[in-house]
Amino acid sequence: MDVLDELDQRIVGALQVDGRASWAKVAASLGEAERTVARRGSELLRDGRVRIRALPNPSRFRHLEQFVLKVACNPGSAGIAAAALARRPETLYTYILTGSADCAAEFSSPASKFAELLIRDIGSIPGVRSAATYPVLSYPRTMHQWNPGVLTPAEIEAMGGTRYSEAPTALEHVEQLGKEDRQILRALERDGRASYEELARITGLSVQTAQRRVERMRREGTLFIRAVFEPALLGLPVEVLLWVKVPFPELDRVEAEMLPSSSVRYAAVLAGDFQLVVDAVFPSRAALSTYLKGAEWATRAQAIEPAVVVDALKRSGTMALSFGEDPGGYSS
């Protein structure tokens, strides 16, 4: 995958801060011509290299359970199993990996279906030899909070700073969204940049009310707007999942030392023989090696198992573009 040029990378960085920002705001924040930014940004969205999607924050809803699945497959069947996992509506990401696990996926499932999913559905996926299930206890970092380091602090602040990235990942539970909020969420899951006029048409609300509803849900952390793209576009082609064993009393210190790094895209605290899973990206394998040797937090870990991401079939609930265009691509 070709690395984007500097301006395109900065546009992607701006959309990572606020995926619904107007091109005028992006251009002003970056100090670039609006016409150029609108043309470049629209092209990135049109060809699918960047997609803007909304996701409900699962930890806000009492009826949802989140867990990470680590799967070992029969020889030659990792692609088949990963494709089946990616097609499931409950999966948020699905990766094919190197190492002891052949693939990994994160699930967000209604609690009422959680046992059936674990006992029956996962075991019946073709190619799965064994699967370890890790309930998610908390998210020190979610993908929408990642700062890839392509913008200056002043540019990030001009885009809105941490107004949305610091939205709480867990507050008091919401039992159920109202009808109009559910309609807004479904529309933004399809297109995170859907206009307020379009949302008003779908819901029957006024444009101003639809705008207030979206802003409220974003600020309170009920929904996240994600810029979905391959890290390789930013010159970060090496992606790993780090399975980490660390004593729970050390977790707060590990998180504090880990999260300032722009390499860390995502981290989840797990229940099981691994206490953390971390998604991290690097410009090269040498950079990954240097990071693991020098990371202060790593000295507190009992064990770290790096697994390189060979292919990402799904990110943030969004199928990879090539996989989505060819649903049978991993069927044989």
Side-chain angles (χ1 to χ4, degrees), residues 261-274:
S261 172
S262 62
S263 294
V264 177
R265 300 177 69 234
Y266 156 98
V269 176
L270 309 175
D273 53 340
F274 291 97

Side-chain angles (χ1 to χ4, degrees), residues 33-304:
E34 181 179 346
R35 179 177 297 181
T36 301
V37 168
R39 175 175 57 81
R40 295 281 201 98
S42 297
E43 185 177 340
L44 289 169
L45 297 177
R46 186 167 53 251
D47 65 21
R49 285 177 291 175
V50 180
R51 288 174 284 177
I52 309 299
R53 297 288 189 269
L55 277 179
N57 175 5
S59 60
R60 289 279 274 133
F61 297 90
R62 191 185 305 276
H63 68 286
L64 292 178
E65 296 278 356
Q66 298 81 50
F67 64 93
V68 174
L69 192 70
K70 188 181 182 188
V71 178
C73 300
N74 296 321
S77 62
I80 296 172
L85 287 168
R87 289 190 178 97
R88 294 195 66 95
E90 306 97 334
T91 54
L92 301 179
Y93 63 75
T94 304
Y95 300 155
I96 298 177
L97 305 172
T98 64
S100 61
D102 297 294
C103 53
E106 182 179 355
F107 281 72
S108 180
S109 167
S112 60
K113 298 181 179 179
F114 182 65
E116 180 181 1
L117 181 64
L118 292 185
I119 296 170
R120 189 189 69 179
D121 292 4
I122 291 174
S124 66
I125 292 174
V128 172
R129 185 174 78 248
S130 64
T133 306
Y134 298 93
V136 175
L137 303 181
S138 65
Y139 293 97
R141 171 164 293 162
T142 57
M143 294 295 187
H144 82 288
Q145 296 171 314
W146 177 45
N147 173 10
V150 296
L151 301 186
T152 67
E155 289 169 339
I156 293 173
E157 189 60 33
M159 281 298 301
T162 57
R163 174 174 52 174
Y164 300 123
S165 66
E166 289 187 350
T169 55
L171 291 171
E172 67 281 357
H173 285 106
V174 174
E175 294 298 336
Q176 188 175 5
L177 293 177
K179 175 183 176 182
E180 292 86 0
D181 286 348
R182 294 198 304 273
Q183 291 172 326
I184 288 171
L185 178 57
R186 284 195 294 270
L188 293 178
E189 284 177 325
R190 294 189 297 271
D191 177 9
R193 289 180 66 83
S195 69
Y196 293 116
E197 289 77 12
E198 176 68 10
L199 298 178
R201 185 191 65 78
I202 291 170
T203 61
L205 300 170
S206 69
V207 173
Q208 293 79 9
T209 301
Q211 184 173 357
R212 286 196 299 270
R213 294 285 186 94
V214 172
E215 184 68 15
R216 172 181 56 80
M217 287 192 286
R218 293 185 73 186
R219 282 186 174 274
E220 71 183 9
T222 299
L223 71 83
F224 301 138
I225 300 293
R226 298 268 178 89
V228 184
F229 57 91
E230 289 300 312
L233 292 174
L234 302 185
L236 301 166
V238 177
E239 182 174 11
V240 294
L241 283 189
L242 304 175
W243 303 93
V244 183
K245 294 185 178 182
V246 59
F248 276 102
E250 291 287 326
L251 271 175
D252 287 345
R253 295 182 67 180
V254 167
E255 291 171 15
E257 294 168 358
M258 173 191 296
L259 295 183
S261 172
S262 62
S263 294
V264 177
R265 300 177 69 234
Y266 156 98
V269 176
L270 309 175
D273 53 340
F274 291 97
Q275 290 71 50
L276 272 175
V277 61
V278 179
D279 185 318
V281 288
F282 302 90
S284 65
R285 291 188 183 180
L288 166 62
S289 177
T290 299
Y291 173 81
L292 291 176
K293 291 175 182 177
E296 184 176 353
W297 68 265
T299 64
R300 307 186 190 282
Q302 296 172 329
I304 301 174

